[in-house]
Amino acid sequence: MKRKVIIDTDPGIDDALAIIFALQHPDIEVLGFTSVGGNKGLQSTTDNVTRILNYFGSDIKVYKGSEKNYSKTVDSNFNLSIDYSKEIIHGSNGLGSAVLDKNDALISDKDAVTFILETIEKYPNQVDLITLGPLTNIAFCIEKNFDIMKQLKSIHSMGGGIHRGNRTPLAEFNYWFDPHSVNKVFELGEYLPIFMIGLDVTHQAVLDMNDLTFMQLIDPKLGQLINQMLDSYILNYWENQRILGAVMHDLTAIVGYMYPELYTEVLDINLYCSTADDVTIGQTIITDTAMVNSHIPMKLNVEVYKQHVIKDIFGQEALNEYTTYLNNE
Ligand code: RIB
Ligand code: CA
């Protein structure tokens, strides 16, 4: 039985890898993609979802997300202004150096919030929501109809971090971008499982340069595309953090969703996201409240993670070649 998922995303290079994984995986039925502003502005992220789907010849629909930032609608003091054009980590258009045609025909007239609520109502307790960007759309869904959102099967959200930040030393980008939306979403944590795939675990799942070269050799077409996407991303991580390789945050979230046994240590805790107008804004903070509202993987089995990435994106033959190569190293 295929798993029914909705993927909320702000492509973004690591979003693209996660979308490719979902499109290639035989046991995932993506009911729809919803776009959100984050890595780039909302129109760019919406177009980028269509670019990836168009490349794979997919006819899955894209539902454009909210133009408004949730925090700005609930907090008159919240003032976040980002000039997306200056955001270089994902390259000028959000997909590194990859040049892919967009496909406007894939963009539905229906907005993201309407699509998410209608889909959950159609498939009660069967839909897993995977979020790869700020939680803006999901917060608006909850504000519009909490009872329907309680009928989600689960949420797997890339964001936050217990011991790490990346947009600030304390805050991870997705949650920092719209912090009030995080707290709105975690209200659901009392009713359904929410997995917060934070920086603590995504920074363990680094695809190294051998992995990336292997991808290019084993599948010149797709491998070449992935490497084109990653060039500016790898340069940025090397220059700013002296990390050599691809830290694929969003890919970690969807692989862990499919294979939770990858996670070897998970915190079951209560947390909130700081909305204070100070250095803590966007930080995910553990509380001593007994009510568990989130499950946070803190460690994962990297070798098995990489095997799933290779097999599910490139196929069993590629995995055989990969394991042979590793065994002969
Ligand atoms: O902090 C990492 C997250 O921010 C990822 O989802 C990346 O795509 C960016 O959106
Ligand atoms: Ca993302």
Side-chain angles (χ1 to χ4, degrees), residues 238-253:
W238 172 252
E239 286 181 343
N240 294 321
Q241 301 186 52
R242 279 294 183 265
I243 292 174
L244 182 53
V247 189
M248 297 280 91
H249 308 281
D250 297 332
L251 180 60
T252 310

Side-chain angles (χ1 to χ4, degrees), residues 9-12 14-15 39 90 132-134 158 173-174 250:
T9 179
D10 66 331
D14 57 328
D15 301 72
N39 282 318
H90 294 270
L132 307 178
M158 192 282 132
F173 175 78
N174 287 339
D250 297 332

Side-chain angles (χ1 to χ4, degrees), residues 169-281:
L170 298 175
E172 177 278 329
F173 175 78
N174 287 339
Y175 286 13
W176 169 89
F177 193 87
D178 195 345
H180 285 278
S181 71
V182 179
N183 292 324
K184 193 68 180 171
V185 171
F186 277 82
E187 285 176 15
L188 283 174
E190 187 175 352
Y191 304 97
L192 56 100
I194 298 180
F195 291 84
M196 186 191 96
I197 316 307
L199 296 176
D200 310 284
V201 76
T202 64
H203 270 268
Q204 296 170 33
V206 182
L207 298 177
D208 65 32
M209 301 312 282
N210 282 348
D211 298 327
L212 299 172
T213 304
F214 173 82
M215 290 178 183
Q216 200 156 338
L217 295 172
I218 203 72
D219 184 333
K221 188 169 182 285
L222 182 53
Q224 173 80 22
L225 172 68
I226 290 172
N227 278 274
Q228 281 172 344
M229 284 181 178
L230 285 171
D231 57 4
S232 62
Y233 195 90
I234 289 167
L235 182 62
N236 191 285
Y237 267 82
W238 172 252
E239 286 181 343
N240 294 321
Q241 301 186 52
R242 279 294 183 265
I243 292 174
L244 182 53
V247 189
M248 297 280 91
H249 308 281
D250 297 332
L251 180 60
T252 310
I254 198 164
V255 176
Y257 158 69
M258 285 309 291
Y259 308 104
E261 67 277 8
L262 277 178
Y263 296 138
T264 55
E265 182 185 312
V266 179
L267 295 180
D268 301 325
I269 52 148
N270 183 284
L271 64 72
Y272 76 96
C273 185
S274 171
T275 58
D277 188 10
D278 61 24
V279 290
T280 68
I281 190 165

Side-chain angles (χ1 to χ4, degrees), residues 62-82:
V62 182
Y63 303 84
K64 193 171 181 182
S66 169
E67 297 278 359
K68 294 179 292 183
N69 177 290
Y70 180 75
S71 294
K72 287 186 177 179
T73 64
V74 296
D75 178 352
S76 55
N77 296 321
F78 187 79
N79 176 24
L80 176 78
S81 57
I82 281 190

